[in-house]
Amino acid sequence: MNTRSIRILPSLLAADMGRLAEACRLAESAGADGLHVDIMDSHFVPNLSMGPDVVRAARRVTKLPLSVHLMMSRPDGLADAFLDAGANTLLIHVEARCDPAALLGRIRERGARAGLTLNPETPAEAALPYRERADEILCMTVHPGFGGQSFLEEVLPKIRGLREALPGMALSVDGGLNDETTARCAEAGADIFLVGSSLFTADGDMAARIRSMRAAIQKSLAGRG
Ligand code: DX5
Ligand code: ZN
């Protein structure tokens, strides 16, 4: 029997930004375990998205934990602003131009969960020096910057390796997740799933999609024994 706690967090990047409050409430009533908020600086990634005010606006309308993903070259400059805005988890990139150890420490000091993110081509070893300072390690399963991309299956061995090296660590995945790819990531050892386009789709029945994703995950874990 598998006792790992599975968490599914819809990513607001795929929501209608003109209806942010509605999107937060939809995710909450659909049984989401939190919300993922993607911050892009048009430098670390070639796209620009939201800032601390959007996190603050989401915080006002939902009690769900907010997982804030800083795709920024210099996350150190704005980390406090995102924490002030209500982020519960701050995910920084190991490839950013800052001292990850210091920033992970700062995030924890402020009472939030500290997460370290690896781009698809960054090896698992890059995360290991920070194992004591991180509450979560995120393996990107697409190249960060845009929603709606295809899942990169070459990342699966890295997830497997991290799960073996760090049995108690929360391991998340982000990008290109649907029932099938989510199940494969769960089988490899991931337990937090950050999901954009396949949950926020036109027909709005997010509850059914989350249920279906949880069932796919449980099935793959049961198959593993
Ligand atoms: C991509 C973002 C993801 C994005 C995933 O750079 O970090 O969180 O929302 O979107 P989908 O699920 O559409 O790939
Ligand atoms: Zn993300």
Side-chain angles (χ1 to χ4, degrees):
M1 163 117 168
N2 194 288
T3 52
R4 250 165 53 208
S5 103
I6 297 295
R7 284 175 267 178
I8 296 178
L9 282 67
S11 169
L12 286 178
L13 190 66
D16 177 351
M17 276 299 120
R19 298 171 166 209
L20 176 69
E22 220 174 289
C24 293
R25 288 189 201 107
L26 171 68
E28 194 164 338
S29 64
D33 298 302
L35 277 166
H36 184 66
V37 193
D38 286 305
I39 311 298
M40 304 179 185
D41 68 350
S42 94
H43 187 267
F44 186 77
V45 292
N47 198 1
L48 192 62
S49 62
M50 326 159 197
D53 286 346
V54 176
V55 174
R56 188 170 291 108
R59 179 75 297 154
R60 274 200 295 267
V61 294
T62 181
K63 291 194 165 44
L64 287 176
L66 299 176
S67 143
V68 178
H69 178 187
L70 302 182
M71 287 166 271
M72 302 175 66
S73 298
R74 295 297 309 262
D76 44 349
L78 278 174
D80 278 302
F82 284 104
L83 293 166
D84 291 342
N88 301 92
T89 298
L90 264 198
L91 294 150
I92 62 167
H93 272 259
V94 73
E95 306 87 359
R97 283 195 1 234
C98 73
D99 174 0
L103 188 49
L104 292 168
R106 170 78 187 144
I107 295 166
R108 275 188 172 173
E109 207 177 275
R110 293 271 330 254
R113 293 176 72 254
L116 188 65
T117 309
L118 307 180
N119 276 338
E121 63 281 1
T122 302
E125 290 68 36
L128 298 181
Y130 308 104
R131 60 201 295 167
E132 301 299 332
R133 292 178 179 263
D135 300 297
E136 174 177 340
I137 294 177
L138 164 57
C139 289
M140 291 305 299
T141 42
V142 297
H143 294 288
F146 300 91
Q149 301 182 73
S150 298
F151 178 78
L152 297 171
E153 61 182 289
E154 56 268 33
V155 180
L156 287 167
K158 176 163 69 182
I159 299 166
R160 207 162 271 127
L162 280 167
R163 175 51 70 217
E164 274 169 28
L166 306 172
M169 180 67 77
L171 281 187
S172 48
V173 283
D174 185 8
L177 297 175
N178 52 36
D179 285 5
E180 189 237 324
T181 55
T182 297
R184 293 176 74 191
C185 290
E187 194 275 329
D191 43 23
I192 301 178
F193 303 89
L194 311 172
V195 190
S197 25
S198 73
L199 289 182
F200 277 110
T201 60
D203 77 14
D205 193 358
M206 190 187 285
R209 281 188 292 274
I210 290 181
R211 273 198 305 275
S212 159
M213 195 166 266
R214 285 196 204 281
I217 292 168
Q218 291 309 334
K219 194 172 161 201
S220 85
L221 293 179
R224 209 173 51 156

